[in-house]
Amino acid sequence: MDAVRNPFAPGAGSQPPELAGRDNIISTADIALQRVLAGKPSQSQMLLGLRGVGKTVLLNKIEEIAEGHGHLTSFVEAPEDRSLVELLYPRMHQVLRRLSVVEGAKAATYSALRALRGFASAFKIEVGDVAIAVDPEPGVADSGNIEYDIADLFLRVGQAAQAAGRGWTLLVDEVQYLSAEELAALIVAIHRINQKSLPVLFFGAGLPQIAALSGDAKSYAERLFIFPKVDALDITAAEEAIRQPIEAEGETIDQAALSAIVQSTKGYPYFLQEWGYQAWNAAQDSPINADNVVAAAAAALKRLDEGFFKVRFDRLTPKEREYVIAMATLGTGPYRSSDVADVLGEKLTALGPRRATIINKGMIYSPAHGDIAFTVPMFEEYLKRHWM
């Protein structure tokens, strides 16, 4: 069929043509965004899931909804090599500049800009082209203690948004790359915002260990946030994610082909997009059939192996690769750390630092004490295809 009309979008954070199976998460976010504008208490969210389940897609959707309800939004991706204050500064400055033109919010915005100026000085942020032409307010967001200063800053921005009759939504992707100190500071700031009933919400997304890390950072995090689990789609939602985009283009797919795609992808959204994309291109005409899916599978796996899987494997050192390959020899996870040690013929305690480094790189996580699992779905199958 016509490749130009192919409706599927396999890519990092690409909006799929059909956002199936996520209605509850989207509805909960929508209600919270409206409630804070009405001065009602609402919980921020931390989306948890493996790679390729659509967390970034959901953050983008929530940002769109927030803007539709009158929120100003700031979207940042937490990298491994930059600090949270460097990421927040230009986004918050942008929000305050937009609020500064609202007549009723000028005084509150000016106060927030002074706080932001002091914050930049305290943390020695290289402002570049983002300069603030106001004097700092001594004693506000300028202590150099990130936990105190981000809370001060969020309060001032929240007050400016409230004065303008707007909301502010902060969205942070890849939360697991924040330091423990940065995560604690964010949690404290959101807690203070809630106490003051200001129209500010936080939506984060990260790997499954974020819930535990949040609780370790501040014990009240479990009450401050809700932690929706973003997982593989069930059969009905997975089939809808394939069927609906095809039918929207005036084409069809038979049930055997649908079932084959869902079985091959295990319902993981990124893989569904890849298989759908390749099956469409493999078909000469409608309906897309099971033979087309068989032909598409080789192309889908080739693209995943050369991209989605390989870029992650390439980040590992030889010793770290040895560790994850040992995991894969044990079958499908989760795995006991002690079993991996046995495969490698090493003491469990000696492998601790290596395991920690692989966790820090976002390749594995600990779903329970003593257990480890891959953060990338079907990664053990990739390792078996190429490294075992």
Side-chain angles (χ1 to χ4, degrees), residues 121-198:
S121 296
F123 288 93
K124 298 179 174 58
I125 298 170
E126 294 292 334
V127 298
D129 294 332
V130 186
I132 301 176
V134 297
D135 293 327
E137 181 179 345
V140 179
D142 63 357
S143 71
N145 182 311
I146 188 173
E147 191 168 300
Y148 298 152
D149 293 345
I150 286 185
D152 278 352
L153 202 49
F154 275 36
L155 284 173
R156 293 299 178 95
V157 176
Q159 288 161 355
Q162 187 177 58
R166 305 290 295 274
W168 176 45
T169 295
L170 173 64
L171 306 104
V172 178
D173 202 4
E174 303 287 6
V175 173
Q176 71 276 355
Y177 291 135
L178 297 178
S179 69
E181 182 183 43
E182 290 170 336
L183 181 57
L186 265 181
I187 293 169
V188 169
I190 298 302
H191 190 214
R192 290 289 291 143
I193 286 292
N194 281 10
Q195 291 172 331
K196 298 294 184 180
S197 299
L198 293 171

Side-chain angles (χ1 to χ4, degrees), residues 288-349:
I288 297 171
N289 58 44
D291 289 339
N292 300 143
V293 175
V294 171
L301 285 172
K302 184 174 186 294
R303 290 225 317 183
L304 288 168
D305 287 355
E306 293 176 353
F308 185 77
F309 294 126
K310 184 177 185 296
V311 295
R312 289 163 173 81
F313 187 73
D314 285 351
R315 297 184 64 219
L316 301 178
T317 67
K319 280 295 185 181
E320 291 163 357
R321 293 179 182 184
E322 183 183 77
Y323 189 96
V324 298
I325 291 169
M327 289 172 60
T329 64
L330 295 169
T332 301
Y335 314 93
R336 296 297 295 172
S337 296
S338 56
D339 291 339
V340 178
D342 289 342
V343 170
L344 292 172
E346 298 189 43
K347 292 183 178 179
L348 180 61
T349 52

Side-chain angles (χ1 to χ4, degrees), residues 349-368:
T349 52
L351 288 171
R354 195 189 314 180
R355 174 178 177 270
T357 302
I358 305 172
I359 289 174
N360 289 337
K361 289 184 176 181
M363 282 300 305
I364 62 175
Y365 73 105
S366 178

